[in-house]
Amino acid sequence: PDAFIGEPLHGLRLPQRYNVSIVAIHDVLSDTLHIPPSADYVLKDSDTIMVVGSDAALAELNAVGAE
């Protein structure tokens, strides 16, 4: 979601808020892969994230991105 851009992962509190975890981040511009990403990693609009969680948790997170 756009609201996540510019935020460090630890500040998003995704495991606590949505019961999901980011297991990898690919920065498309620099072609850099972060596995696992640091909690201090700041998300950029050029990032693609790999998220794991239950179907319901992923649907809830996806709904946040659609707002």
Side-chain angles (χ1 to χ4, degrees):
D2 288 341
F4 292 0
I5 304 301
E7 297 294 328
L9 292 181
H10 66 81
L12 296 174
R13 300 177 29 118
L14 297 178
Q16 296 87 355
R17 292 171 61 195
Y18 300 103
N19 202 30
V20 299
S21 296
I22 295 178
V23 296
I25 298 175
H26 178 229
D27 182 342
V28 177
L29 293 180
S30 67
D31 196 28
T32 304
L33 194 58
H34 304 272
I35 305 174
S38 161
D40 294 328
Y41 187 90
V42 176
L43 288 172
K44 301 183 289 296
D45 60 354
S46 60
D47 289 335
T48 301
I49 59 174
M50 179 180 288
V51 182
V52 295
S54 69
D55 289 343
L58 293 172
E60 183 179 357
L61 183 63
N62 190 47
V64 171
E67 293 176 349

